[in-house]
Amino acid sequence: MSFNKRTKSRIISILLILLLVLATGCQAEAPPETPEEPEVNAPLVINMGGGPVGAATEVLYTMMLEDFTTSIENCTGGQTTGAPAPNLMGLKEGKYNLVHTISDVTAAAQAGQAMFQESGPIEGIMNLITISEHTTTWIVKADSPYMSIEDLKGKSFSPGPRGTSNDIATQRLLAEIGLSYDDFKVEFLNFADAEQQMLDGHLDAMLFSFTTYPHPSLLSVIAKEQVRFLPVPEEAISGVVSKYGGVKATVLPEGVYTLFDGTKNPAIKGIGGNLHLAVKADMSEEDAYNMVKVFAENFASYQETVASLKKMKVEDMAKEIPGIEFHPGALKYYKEVGFIK
């Protein structure tokens, strides 16, 4: 059968159309588009090593954690009462991811000194929030014969719980004046028990060598008994400050405490540093930022409840502690709001 050119052209066109239809029909249908799921922040579970039993920080951290868990998406957590040294060991071991600590103990952990000598330096500790300043407050009853620390040799005192900054600082100050715990009867008591034993006459002194002010337990004793503040030898102050990181010369301001007879405390020189909240460097920037933001936004309510915060301004939470760097997430927030220029 023969076709003329015109017929051939039509046949070719029809075949091309058929091939195109077949090719289109053989294509797999595109799967229906799946709607994108909204992004969900990774859960933040806060395991906090808190402060000692009976300390003002116990109330502060309870309020703070409640604010964290209600204000930060997918955030849960709680605190275990503790002390700076074991808290930092817990941070190192992964038991905690947020800890209460004090600048002198943090510096010792970084350097592998004091109670960290055997375990070695702890790396990656970063400051999150700087809280209250600490200083030295040594008291005896006013009707006692003790006028100096040397007069207490052979007598009983409490430096608070073992492993706290009070404990470490007391040992350091005593060493600078040629004394040690062996020269005294030392009772490692939580603050509430130290307070009660002082009032009951079972303790001759409370030597809180690196503590917040006003301290709740000292306030309680001073409200019920006339006390005397023991001086801290200046050579002991300068010796400790020159040897250890995270420590500075401080002064308990005049008038912080109203004594039983209505008079005010004198200004008292001592050593001190800062209470602060620490995290590890591997905490996400977002989590660190969010915690700092919530703390700042709720600072006024903390200040109303915790006496030691009344002397602090919200921007003081960005005060730098020499040798202890801020976490990048904290630093980001502090720069955003102008706390750090």
Side-chain angles (χ1 to χ4, degrees), residues 117-131:
Q117 192 167 4
E118 187 174 330
S119 59
I122 299 178
E123 298 179 352
I125 304 171
M126 306 206 82
N127 191 13
L128 189 73
I129 299 169
T130 301
I131 308 183

Side-chain angles (χ1 to χ4, degrees), residues 8 22 25 174 225 302 312 337:
K8 285 181 179 179
L22 287 170
L174 291 176
E225 289 273 0
Y302 306 150
M312 180 181 168
V337 296

Side-chain angles (χ1 to χ4, degrees), residues 49-101:
V53 174
T57 51
E58 197 170 0
V59 176
L60 170 62
Y61 299 150
T62 299
M63 295 174 66
M64 178 189 76
L65 287 169
E66 184 176 347
D67 290 331
F68 285 173
T69 55
T70 55
S71 301
I72 301 172
E73 188 178 358
N74 289 332
C75 178
T76 58
Q79 67 170 312
T80 302
T81 54
N87 283 351
L88 290 168
M89 287 301 298
L91 188 68
K92 175 184 179 180
E93 295 162 359
K95 179 180 178 181
Y96 303 126
N97 56 1
L98 174 66
V99 297
H100 152 106
T101 183

